[in-house]
Amino acid sequence: MLEITSLKDGIVIDHIKSGLGIKIFNLLSLDELSEEVALILNAKSSSQGRKDIVKIAGNLDINLDAVAIIDPNATINFIKNEEVVEKKTLDLPKETRGILKCQNPTCITTSERNIESKFILIDRKEKMYKCAYCDHIYDVEE
């Protein structure tokens, strides 16, 4: 059995749907951090069967909206001296900036470098966003 040690100080993104941990890891660019990062895939879970977990050492400011877009059911635990000092549940953000990229090749955000992408939530249940510039529909599940 794989032993996962506790975290002294940092952030634990828990209850990630199995298979989505790597997407969160990549979207947050955790490979670029100098702090220790643990990506645990397919961990046993009594409530989910299997889940992914991301542990990040240190007190970082992570983009919770980015995590919520990938898995709004994930939970965020802030750890201090090996104790959970705060626990956050997530919800899909009503608006995102700079997280999603418009897939419409004629959108201004794909042709102009200095324009940050902006998406507006149009269907919470289906996790669908609309580009604020060209109205292209973005399905997070795809």
PDB file of all heavy atoms in Angstrom, residues 11-50:
ATOM      1  N   ILE A  11      -1.682  23.389   0.960  1.00  0.00           N
ATOM      2  CA  ILE A  11      -3.046  23.258   0.457  1.00  0.00           C
ATOM      3  C   ILE A  11      -3.248  21.836  -0.043  1.00  0.00           C
ATOM      4  O   ILE A  11      -2.388  21.290  -0.736  1.00  0.00           O
ATOM      5  CB  ILE A  11      -3.287  24.244  -0.704  1.00  0.00           C
ATOM      6  CG1 ILE A  11      -3.108  25.681  -0.216  1.00  0.00           C
ATOM      7  CG2 ILE A  11      -4.671  24.050  -1.317  1.00  0.00           C
ATOM      8  CD1 ILE A  11      -3.043  26.694  -1.331  1.00  0.00           C
ATOM      9  N   VAL A  12      -4.386  21.261   0.296  1.00  0.00           N
ATOM     10  CA  VAL A  12      -4.768  19.951  -0.221  1.00  0.00           C
ATOM     11  C   VAL A  12      -6.064  20.129  -1.010  1.00  0.00           C
ATOM     12  O   VAL A  12      -7.069  20.603  -0.474  1.00  0.00           O
ATOM     13  CB  VAL A  12      -4.965  18.910   0.901  1.00  0.00           C
ATOM     14  CG1 VAL A  12      -5.448  17.589   0.325  1.00  0.00           C
ATOM     15  CG2 VAL A  12      -3.682  18.723   1.703  1.00  0.00           C
ATOM     16  N   ILE A  13      -5.997  19.774  -2.283  1.00  0.00           N
ATOM     17  CA  ILE A  13      -7.207  19.756  -3.105  1.00  0.00           C
ATOM     18  C   ILE A  13      -7.680  18.314  -3.082  1.00  0.00           C
ATOM     19  O   ILE A  13      -7.005  17.425  -3.598  1.00  0.00           O
ATOM     20  CB  ILE A  13      -6.925  20.225  -4.547  1.00  0.00           C
ATOM     21  CG1 ILE A  13      -6.227  21.591  -4.539  1.00  0.00           C
ATOM     22  CG2 ILE A  13      -8.230  20.283  -5.347  1.00  0.00           C
ATOM     23  CD1 ILE A  13      -5.717  22.026  -5.899  1.00  0.00           C
ATOM     24  N   ASP A  14      -8.800  18.072  -2.438  1.00  0.00           N
ATOM     25  CA  ASP A  14      -9.266  16.712  -2.173  1.00  0.00           C
ATOM     26  C   ASP A  14     -10.600  16.464  -2.885  1.00  0.00           C
ATOM     27  O   ASP A  14     -11.249  17.380  -3.373  1.00  0.00           O
ATOM     28  CB  ASP A  14      -9.425  16.532  -0.663  1.00  0.00           C
ATOM     29  CG  ASP A  14      -9.448  15.077  -0.232  1.00  0.00           C
ATOM     30  OD1 ASP A  14      -9.346  14.182  -1.098  1.00  0.00           O
ATOM     31  OD2 ASP A  14      -9.564  14.830   0.981  1.00  0.00           O
ATOM     32  N   HIS A  15     -10.983  15.213  -2.902  1.00  0.00           N
ATOM     33  CA  HIS A  15     -12.248  14.773  -3.493  1.00  0.00           C
ATOM     34  C   HIS A  15     -12.370  15.148  -4.969  1.00  0.00           C
ATOM     35  O   HIS A  15     -13.462  15.471  -5.446  1.00  0.00           O
ATOM     36  CB  HIS A  15     -13.451  15.287  -2.696  1.00  0.00           C
ATOM     37  CG  HIS A  15     -13.409  14.868  -1.258  1.00  0.00           C
ATOM     38  ND1 HIS A  15     -13.051  15.745  -0.263  1.00  0.00           N
ATOM     39  CD2 HIS A  15     -13.620  13.684  -0.670  1.00  0.00           C
ATOM     40  CE1 HIS A  15     -13.063  15.105   0.890  1.00  0.00           C
ATOM     41  NE2 HIS A  15     -13.414  13.846   0.672  1.00  0.00           N
ATOM     42  N   ILE A  16     -11.242  15.121  -5.672  1.00  0.00           N
ATOM     43  CA  ILE A  16     -11.251  15.392  -7.111  1.00  0.00           C
ATOM     44  C   ILE A  16     -11.730  14.127  -7.809  1.00  0.00           C
ATOM     45  O   ILE A  16     -11.260  13.027  -7.504  1.00  0.00           O
ATOM     46  CB  ILE A  16      -9.833  15.747  -7.608  1.00  0.00           C
ATOM     47  CG1 ILE A  16      -9.258  16.931  -6.833  1.00  0.00           C
ATOM     48  CG2 ILE A  16      -9.848  16.025  -9.110  1.00  0.00           C
ATOM     49  CD1 ILE A  16      -7.763  17.136  -7.047  1.00  0.00           C
ATOM     50  N   LYS A  17     -12.646  14.276  -8.735  1.00  0.00           N
ATOM     51  CA  LYS A  17     -13.121  13.122  -9.497  1.00  0.00           C
ATOM     52  C   LYS A  17     -11.927  12.434 -10.149  1.00  0.00           C
ATOM     53  O   LYS A  17     -11.068  13.076 -10.743  1.00  0.00           O
ATOM     54  CB  LYS A  17     -14.123  13.579 -10.568  1.00  0.00           C
ATOM     55  CG  LYS A  17     -14.725  12.442 -11.350  1.00  0.00           C
ATOM     56  CD  LYS A  17     -15.729  12.971 -12.362  1.00  0.00           C
ATOM     57  CE  LYS A  17     -16.237  11.823 -13.219  1.00  0.00           C
ATOM     58  NZ  LYS A  17     -17.111  12.304 -14.285  1.00  0.00           N
ATOM     59  N   SER A  18     -11.880  11.119 -10.016  1.00  0.00           N
ATOM     60  CA  SER A  18     -10.765  10.341 -10.553  1.00  0.00           C
ATOM     61  C   SER A  18     -10.538  10.675 -12.029  1.00  0.00           C
ATOM     62  O   SER A  18     -11.468  10.687 -12.822  1.00  0.00           O
ATOM     63  CB  SER A  18     -11.053   8.843 -10.374  1.00  0.00           C
ATOM     64  OG  SER A  18      -9.937   8.092 -10.786  1.00  0.00           O
ATOM     65  N   GLY A  19      -9.304  10.978 -12.371  1.00  0.00           N
ATOM     66  CA  GLY A  19      -8.939  11.321 -13.737  1.00  0.00           C
ATOM     67  C   GLY A  19      -8.812  12.815 -13.977  1.00  0.00           C
ATOM     68  O   GLY A  19      -8.233  13.243 -14.972  1.00  0.00           O
ATOM     69  N   LEU A  20      -9.333  13.638 -13.062  1.00  0.00           N
ATOM     70  CA  LEU A  20      -9.287  15.088 -13.248  1.00  0.00           C
ATOM     71  C   LEU A  20      -8.119  15.751 -12.518  1.00  0.00           C
ATOM     72  O   LEU A  20      -7.829  16.927 -12.754  1.00  0.00           O
ATOM     73  CB  LEU A  20     -10.608  15.732 -12.812  1.00  0.00           C
ATOM     74  CG  LEU A  20     -11.854  15.314 -13.596  1.00  0.00           C
ATOM     75  CD1 LEU A  20     -13.080  16.040 -13.057  1.00  0.00           C
ATOM     76  CD2 LEU A  20     -11.674  15.589 -15.078  1.00  0.00           C
ATOM     77  N   GLY A  21      -7.444  15.011 -11.657  1.00  0.00           N
ATOM     78  CA  GLY A  21      -6.321  15.569 -10.904  1.00  0.00           C
ATOM     79  C   GLY A  21      -5.219  16.096 -11.809  1.00  0.00           C
ATOM     80  O   GLY A  21      -4.662  17.170 -11.570  1.00  0.00           O
ATOM     81  N   ILE A  22      -4.915  15.363 -12.860  1.00  0.00           N
ATOM     82  CA  ILE A  22      -3.863  15.781 -13.788  1.00  0.00           C
ATOM     83  C   ILE A  22      -4.263  17.051 -14.529  1.00  0.00           C
ATOM     84  O   ILE A  22      -3.427  17.910 -14.813  1.00  0.00           O
ATOM     85  CB  ILE A  22      -3.484  14.632 -14.765  1.00  0.00           C
ATOM     86  CG1 ILE A  22      -2.209  14.958 -15.534  1.00  0.00           C
ATOM     87  CG2 ILE A  22      -4.588  14.318 -15.732  1.00  0.00           C
ATOM     88  CD1 ILE A  22      -0.964  14.771 -14.736  1.00  0.00           C
ATOM     89  N   LYS A  23      -5.552  17.221 -14.825  1.00  0.00           N
ATOM     90  CA  LYS A  23      -6.017  18.444 -15.487  1.00  0.00           C
ATOM     91  C   LYS A  23      -5.840  19.649 -14.566  1.00  0.00           C
ATOM     92  O   LYS A  23      -5.432  20.720 -15.011  1.00  0.00           O
ATOM     93  CB  LYS A  23      -7.482  18.307 -15.903  1.00  0.00           C
ATOM     94  CG  LYS A  23      -7.699  17.370 -17.070  1.00  0.00           C
ATOM     95  CD  LYS A  23      -9.144  17.351 -17.495  1.00  0.00           C
ATOM     96  CE  LYS A  23      -9.323  16.456 -18.721  1.00  0.00           C
ATOM     97  NZ  LYS A  23     -10.678  16.523 -19.232  1.00  0.00           N
ATOM     98  N   ILE A  24      -6.162  19.481 -13.289  1.00  0.00           N
ATOM     99  CA  ILE A  24      -5.977  20.565 -12.318  1.00  0.00           C
ATOM    100  C   ILE A  24      -4.489  20.878 -12.180  1.00  0.00           C
ATOM    101  O   ILE A  24      -4.086  22.044 -12.188  1.00  0.00           O
ATOM    102  CB  ILE A  24      -6.614  20.194 -10.960  1.00  0.00           C
ATOM    103  CG1 ILE A  24      -8.142  20.193 -11.100  1.00  0.00           C
ATOM    104  CG2 ILE A  24      -6.161  21.150  -9.856  1.00  0.00           C
ATOM    105  CD1 ILE A  24      -8.894  19.641  -9.917  1.00  0.00           C
ATOM    106  N   PHE A  25      -3.667  19.839 -12.070  1.00  0.00           N
ATOM    107  CA  PHE A  25      -2.212  19.996 -11.975  1.00  0.00           C
ATOM    108  C   PHE A  25      -1.699  20.835 -13.144  1.00  0.00           C
ATOM    109  O   PHE A  25      -0.936  21.783 -12.960  1.00  0.00           O
ATOM    110  CB  PHE A  25      -1.567  18.604 -11.967  1.00  0.00           C
ATOM    111  CG  PHE A  25      -0.076  18.606 -11.816  1.00  0.00           C
ATOM    112  CD1 PHE A  25       0.515  18.541 -10.566  1.00  0.00           C
ATOM    113  CD2 PHE A  25       0.748  18.664 -12.934  1.00  0.00           C
ATOM    114  CE1 PHE A  25       1.895  18.530 -10.425  1.00  0.00           C
ATOM    115  CE2 PHE A  25       2.125  18.659 -12.813  1.00  0.00           C
ATOM    116  CZ  PHE A  25       2.701  18.596 -11.554  1.00  0.00           C
ATOM    117  N   ASN A  26      -2.125  20.503 -14.353  1.00  0.00           N
ATOM    118  CA  ASN A  26      -1.664  21.210 -15.551  1.00  0.00           C
ATOM    119  C   ASN A  26      -2.224  22.630 -15.639  1.00  0.00           C
ATOM    120  O   ASN A  26      -1.495  23.564 -15.970  1.00  0.00           O
ATOM    121  CB  ASN A  26      -2.013  20.424 -16.808  1.00  0.00           C
ATOM    122  CG  ASN A  26      -1.202  19.159 -16.935  1.00  0.00           C
ATOM    123  OD1 ASN A  26      -0.083  19.067 -16.440  1.00  0.00           O
ATOM    124  ND2 ASN A  26      -1.764  18.153 -17.583  1.00  0.00           N
ATOM    125  N   LEU A  27      -3.503  22.808 -15.348  1.00  0.00           N
ATOM    126  CA  LEU A  27      -4.122  24.129 -15.445  1.00  0.00           C
ATOM    127  C   LEU A  27      -3.500  25.115 -14.458  1.00  0.00           C
ATOM    128  O   LEU A  27      -3.327  26.291 -14.765  1.00  0.00           O
ATOM    129  CB  LEU A  27      -5.633  24.033 -15.215  1.00  0.00           C
ATOM    130  CG  LEU A  27      -6.436  25.301 -15.479  1.00  0.00           C
ATOM    131  CD1 LEU A  27      -6.294  25.769 -16.927  1.00  0.00           C
ATOM    132  CD2 LEU A  27      -7.897  25.079 -15.159  1.00  0.00           C
ATOM    133  N   LEU A  28      -3.115  24.622 -13.280  1.00  0.00           N
ATOM    134  CA  LEU A  28      -2.489  25.480 -12.267  1.00  0.00           C
ATOM    135  C   LEU A  28      -0.974  25.606 -12.474  1.00  0.00           C
ATOM    136  O   LEU A  28      -0.301  26.280 -11.699  1.00  0.00           O
ATOM    137  CB  LEU A  28      -2.777  24.943 -10.856  1.00  0.00           C
ATOM    138  CG  LEU A  28      -4.235  24.961 -10.409  1.00  0.00           C
ATOM    139  CD1 LEU A  28      -4.372  24.335  -9.035  1.00  0.00           C
ATOM    140  CD2 LEU A  28      -4.798  26.379 -10.414  1.00  0.00           C
ATOM    141  N   SER A  29      -0.444  24.911 -13.501  1.00  0.00           N
ATOM    142  CA  SER A  29       1.003  24.921 -13.797  1.00  0.00           C
ATOM    143  C   SER A  29       1.829  24.547 -12.568  1.00  0.00           C
ATOM    144  O   SER A  29       2.842  25.173 -12.253  1.00  0.00           O
ATOM    145  CB  SER A  29       1.442  26.293 -14.330  1.00  0.00           C
ATOM    146  OG  SER A  29       0.715  26.634 -15.482  1.00  0.00           O
ATOM    147  N   LEU A  30       1.391  23.498 -11.875  1.00  0.00           N
ATOM    148  CA  LEU A  30       2.074  23.095 -10.650  1.00  0.00           C
ATOM    149  C   LEU A  30       3.463  22.514 -10.909  1.00  0.00           C
ATOM    150  O   LEU A  30       4.286  22.465 -10.000  1.00  0.00           O
ATOM    151  CB  LEU A  30       1.201  22.099  -9.869  1.00  0.00           C
ATOM    152  CG  LEU A  30      -0.133  22.674  -9.378  1.00  0.00           C
ATOM    153  CD1 LEU A  30      -0.942  21.612  -8.656  1.00  0.00           C
ATOM    154  CD2 LEU A  30       0.080  23.889  -8.487  1.00  0.00           C
ATOM    155  N   ASP A  31       3.738  22.109 -12.138  1.00  0.00           N
ATOM    156  CA  ASP A  31       5.066  21.607 -12.473  1.00  0.00           C
ATOM    157  C   ASP A  31       6.116  22.721 -12.438  1.00  0.00           C
ATOM    158  O   ASP A  31       7.309  22.452 -12.373  1.00  0.00           O
ATOM    159  CB  ASP A  31       5.065  20.933 -13.844  1.00  0.00           C
ATOM    160  CG  ASP A  31       4.622  21.868 -14.961  1.00  0.00           C
ATOM    161  OD1 ASP A  31       3.710  22.690 -14.722  1.00  0.00           O
ATOM    162  OD2 ASP A  31       5.173  21.771 -16.066  1.00  0.00           O
ATOM    163  N   GLU A  32       5.693  23.973 -12.431  1.00  0.00           N
ATOM    164  CA  GLU A  32       6.613  25.104 -12.421  1.00  0.00           C
ATOM    165  C   GLU A  32       6.945  25.591 -11.012  1.00  0.00           C
ATOM    166  O   GLU A  32       7.773  26.487 -10.846  1.00  0.00           O
ATOM    167  CB  GLU A  32       6.027  26.256 -13.242  1.00  0.00           C
ATOM    168  CG  GLU A  32       5.837  25.895 -14.707  1.00  0.00           C
ATOM    169  CD  GLU A  32       5.114  26.974 -15.496  1.00  0.00           C
ATOM    170  OE1 GLU A  32       4.895  28.088 -14.963  1.00  0.00           O
ATOM    171  OE2 GLU A  32       4.778  26.693 -16.664  1.00  0.00           O
ATOM    172  N   LEU A  33       6.309  25.021  -9.996  1.00  0.00           N
ATOM    173  CA  LEU A  33       6.557  25.451  -8.617  1.00  0.00           C
ATOM    174  C   LEU A  33       7.880  24.904  -8.106  1.00  0.00           C
ATOM    175  O   LEU A  33       8.314  23.821  -8.489  1.00  0.00           O
ATOM    176  CB  LEU A  33       5.444  24.959  -7.690  1.00  0.00           C
ATOM    177  CG  LEU A  33       4.057  25.557  -7.863  1.00  0.00           C
ATOM    178  CD1 LEU A  33       3.100  24.937  -6.847  1.00  0.00           C
ATOM    179  CD2 LEU A  33       4.087  27.060  -7.704  1.00  0.00           C
ATOM    180  N   SER A  34       8.490  25.654  -7.205  1.00  0.00           N
ATOM    181  CA  SER A  34       9.697  25.145  -6.549  1.00  0.00           C
ATOM    182  C   SER A  34       9.327  24.374  -5.270  1.00  0.00           C
ATOM    183  O   SER A  34      10.129  23.622  -4.741  1.00  0.00           O
ATOM    184  CB  SER A  34      10.651  26.294  -6.223  1.00  0.00           C
ATOM    185  OG  SER A  34      10.002  27.249  -5.400  1.00  0.00           O
ATOM    186  N   GLU A  35       8.107  24.550  -4.783  1.00  0.00           N
ATOM    187  CA  GLU A  35       7.630  23.833  -3.598  1.00  0.00           C
ATOM    188  C   GLU A  35       7.296  22.386  -3.958  1.00  0.00           C
ATOM    189  O   GLU A  35       7.098  22.055  -5.118  1.00  0.00           O
ATOM    190  CB  GLU A  35       6.374  24.514  -3.022  1.00  0.00           C
ATOM    191  CG  GLU A  35       6.605  25.873  -2.401  1.00  0.00           C
ATOM    192  CD  GLU A  35       6.620  27.002  -3.422  1.00  0.00           C
ATOM    193  OE1 GLU A  35       6.478  26.724  -4.620  1.00  0.00           O
ATOM    194  OE2 GLU A  35       6.789  28.158  -3.011  1.00  0.00           O
ATOM    195  N   GLU A  36       7.225  21.540  -2.947  1.00  0.00           N
ATOM    196  CA  GLU A  36       6.836  20.144  -3.173  1.00  0.00           C
ATOM    197  C   GLU A  36       5.367  20.069  -3.559  1.00  0.00           C
ATOM    198  O   GLU A  36       4.525  20.760  -2.987  1.00  0.00           O
ATOM    199  CB  GLU A  36       7.053  19.316  -1.901  1.00  0.00           C
ATOM    200  CG  GLU A  36       8.501  19.067  -1.588  1.00  0.00           C
ATOM    201  CD  GLU A  36       8.663  18.180  -0.347  1.00  0.00           C
ATOM    202  OE1 GLU A  36       7.685  17.978   0.405  1.00  0.00           O
ATOM    203  OE2 GLU A  36       9.774  17.698  -0.146  1.00  0.00           O
ATOM    204  N   VAL A  37       5.083  19.220  -4.538  1.00  0.00           N
ATOM    205  CA  VAL A  37       3.712  18.990  -4.988  1.00  0.00           C
ATOM    206  C   VAL A  37       3.526  17.487  -5.131  1.00  0.00           C
ATOM    207  O   VAL A  37       4.377  16.809  -5.709  1.00  0.00           O
ATOM    208  CB  VAL A  37       3.431  19.674  -6.352  1.00  0.00           C
ATOM    209  CG1 VAL A  37       2.026  19.363  -6.830  1.00  0.00           C
ATOM    210  CG2 VAL A  37       3.642  21.172  -6.267  1.00  0.00           C
ATOM    211  N   ALA A  38       2.431  16.982  -4.598  1.00  0.00           N
ATOM    212  CA  ALA A  38       2.108  15.561  -4.756  1.00  0.00           C
ATOM    213  C   ALA A  38       0.803  15.447  -5.527  1.00  0.00           C
ATOM    214  O   ALA A  38      -0.193  16.086  -5.181  1.00  0.00           O
ATOM    215  CB  ALA A  38       1.979  14.881  -3.393  1.00  0.00           C
ATOM    216  N   LEU A  39       0.823  14.648  -6.568  1.00  0.00           N
ATOM    217  CA  LEU A  39      -0.384  14.360  -7.345  1.00  0.00           C
ATOM    218  C   LEU A  39      -0.697  12.890  -7.117  1.00  0.00           C
ATOM    219  O   LEU A  39       0.078  12.019  -7.491  1.00  0.00           O
ATOM    220  CB  LEU A  39      -0.141  14.646  -8.834  1.00  0.00           C
ATOM    221  CG  LEU A  39      -1.244  14.226  -9.804  1.00  0.00           C
ATOM    222  CD1 LEU A  39      -2.554  14.929  -9.492  1.00  0.00           C
ATOM    223  CD2 LEU A  39      -0.814  14.529 -11.239  1.00  0.00           C
ATOM    224  N   ILE A  40      -1.809  12.633  -6.473  1.00  0.00           N
ATOM    225  CA  ILE A  40      -2.199  11.261  -6.141  1.00  0.00           C
ATOM    226  C   ILE A  40      -3.400  10.907  -7.005  1.00  0.00           C
ATOM    227  O   ILE A  40      -4.432  11.585  -6.965  1.00  0.00           O
ATOM    228  CB  ILE A  40      -2.539  11.137  -4.639  1.00  0.00           C
ATOM    229  CG1 ILE A  40      -1.324  11.569  -3.804  1.00  0.00           C
ATOM    230  CG2 ILE A  40      -2.965   9.718  -4.296  1.00  0.00           C
ATOM    231  CD1 ILE A  40      -1.661  12.334  -2.587  1.00  0.00           C
ATOM    232  N   LEU A  41      -3.248   9.884  -7.796  1.00  0.00           N
ATOM    233  CA  LEU A  41      -4.299   9.460  -8.709  1.00  0.00           C
ATOM    234  C   LEU A  41      -4.925   8.167  -8.237  1.00  0.00           C
ATOM    235  O   LEU A  41      -4.235   7.282  -7.729  1.00  0.00           O
ATOM    236  CB  LEU A  41      -3.731   9.287 -10.124  1.00  0.00           C
ATOM    237  CG  LEU A  41      -3.021  10.504 -10.717  1.00  0.00           C
ATOM    238  CD1 LEU A  41      -2.363  10.139 -12.040  1.00  0.00           C
ATOM    239  CD2 LEU A  41      -3.976  11.663 -10.896  1.00  0.00           C
ATOM    240  N   ASN A  42      -6.217   8.037  -8.394  1.00  0.00           N
ATOM    241  CA  ASN A  42      -6.968   6.812  -8.094  1.00  0.00           C
ATOM    242  C   ASN A  42      -6.843   6.342  -6.650  1.00  0.00           C
ATOM    243  O   ASN A  42      -6.775   5.146  -6.384  1.00  0.00           O
ATOM    244  CB  ASN A  42      -6.556   5.689  -9.053  1.00  0.00           C
ATOM    245  CG  ASN A  42      -6.907   6.015 -10.473  1.00  0.00           C
ATOM    246  OD1 ASN A  42      -8.010   6.450 -10.753  1.00  0.00           O
ATOM    247  ND2 ASN A  42      -5.953   5.817 -11.376  1.00  0.00           N
ATOM    248  N   ALA A  43      -6.823   7.277  -5.726  1.00  0.00           N
ATOM    249  CA  ALA A  43      -6.795   6.918  -4.311  1.00  0.00           C
ATOM    250  C   ALA A  43      -8.158   6.342  -3.921  1.00  0.00           C
ATOM    251  O   ALA A  43      -9.188   6.741  -4.469  1.00  0.00           O
ATOM    252  CB  ALA A  43      -6.479   8.143  -3.457  1.00  0.00           C
ATOM    253  N   LYS A  44      -8.154   5.413  -2.986  1.00  0.00           N
ATOM    254  CA  LYS A  44      -9.419   4.842  -2.524  1.00  0.00           C
ATOM    255  C   LYS A  44     -10.214   5.892  -1.781  1.00  0.00           C
ATOM    256  O   LYS A  44      -9.671   6.685  -1.021  1.00  0.00           O
ATOM    257  CB  LYS A  44      -9.160   3.643  -1.607  1.00  0.00           C
ATOM    258  CG  LYS A  44      -8.656   2.435  -2.341  1.00  0.00           C
ATOM    259  CD  LYS A  44      -8.483   1.263  -1.402  1.00  0.00           C
ATOM    260  CE  LYS A  44      -7.908   0.086  -2.167  1.00  0.00           C
ATOM    261  NZ  LYS A  44      -7.595  -1.031  -1.269  1.00  0.00           N
ATOM    262  N   SER A  45     -11.533   5.874  -2.011  1.00  0.00           N
ATOM    263  CA  SER A  45     -12.427   6.818  -1.358  1.00  0.00           C
ATOM    264  C   SER A  45     -13.704   6.090  -0.968  1.00  0.00           C
ATOM    265  O   SER A  45     -14.317   5.427  -1.804  1.00  0.00           O
ATOM    266  CB  SER A  45     -12.755   7.968  -2.319  1.00  0.00           C
ATOM    267  OG  SER A  45     -13.825   8.736  -1.819  1.00  0.00           O
ATOM    268  N   SER A  46     -14.098   6.244   0.294  1.00  0.00           N
ATOM    269  CA  SER A  46     -15.320   5.570   0.741  1.00  0.00           C
ATOM    270  C   SER A  46     -16.562   6.181   0.095  1.00  0.00           C
ATOM    271  O   SER A  46     -17.531   5.482  -0.174  1.00  0.00           O
ATOM    272  CB  SER A  46     -15.437   5.630   2.269  1.00  0.00           C
ATOM    273  OG  SER A  46     -15.396   6.974   2.700  1.00  0.00           O
ATOM    274  N   SER A  47     -16.527   7.481  -0.204  1.00  0.00           N
ATOM    275  CA  SER A  47     -17.703   8.127  -0.790  1.00  0.00           C
ATOM    276  C   SER A  47     -17.711   8.111  -2.316  1.00  0.00           C
ATOM    277  O   SER A  47     -18.765   8.105  -2.927  1.00  0.00           O
ATOM    278  CB  SER A  47     -17.810   9.576  -0.295  1.00  0.00           C
ATOM    279  OG  SER A  47     -16.674  10.312  -0.708  1.00  0.00           O
ATOM    280  N   GLN A  48     -16.516   8.102  -2.948  1.00  0.00           N
ATOM    281  CA  GLN A  48     -16.449   8.199  -4.400  1.00  0.00           C
ATOM    282  C   GLN A  48     -15.945   6.933  -5.086  1.00  0.00           C
ATOM    283  O   GLN A  48     -15.959   6.869  -6.302  1.00  0.00           O
ATOM    284  CB  GLN A  48     -15.490   9.351  -4.800  1.00  0.00           C
ATOM    285  CG  GLN A  48     -15.977  10.723  -4.424  1.00  0.00           C
ATOM    286  CD  GLN A  48     -14.943  11.785  -4.732  1.00  0.00           C
ATOM    287  OE1 GLN A  48     -14.302  12.292  -3.833  1.00  0.00           O
ATOM    288  NE2 GLN A  48     -14.777  12.130  -5.989  1.00  0.00           N
ATOM    289  N   GLY A  49     -15.487   5.977  -4.326  1.00  0.00           N
ATOM    290  CA  GLY A  49     -14.861   4.796  -4.910  1.00  0.00           C
ATOM    291  C   GLY A  49     -13.387   5.063  -5.168  1.00  0.00           C
ATOM    292  O   GLY A  49     -12.517   4.516  -4.533  1.00  0.00           O
ATOM    293  N   ARG A  50     -13.115   5.979  -6.096  1.00  0.00           N
ATOM    294  CA  ARG A  50     -11.751   6.432  -6.410  1.00  0.00           C
ATOM    295  C   ARG A  50     -11.765   7.951  -6.532  1.00  0.00           C
ATOM    296  O   ARG A  50     -12.762   8.544  -6.948  1.00  0.00           O
ATOM    297  CB  ARG A  50     -11.255   5.832  -7.735  1.00  0.00           C
ATOM    298  CG  ARG A  50     -11.081   4.339  -7.693  1.00  0.00           C
ATOM    299  CD  ARG A  50      -9.789   3.988  -7.035  1.00  0.00           C
ATOM    300  NE  ARG A  50      -9.603   2.546  -6.959  1.00  0.00           N
ATOM    301  CZ  ARG A  50      -8.645   1.997  -6.266  1.00  0.00           C
ATOM    302  NH1 ARG A  50      -7.793   2.734  -5.593  1.00  0.00           N
ATOM    303  NH2 ARG A  50      -8.530   0.695  -6.225  1.00  0.00           N
TER     304      ARG A  50
END
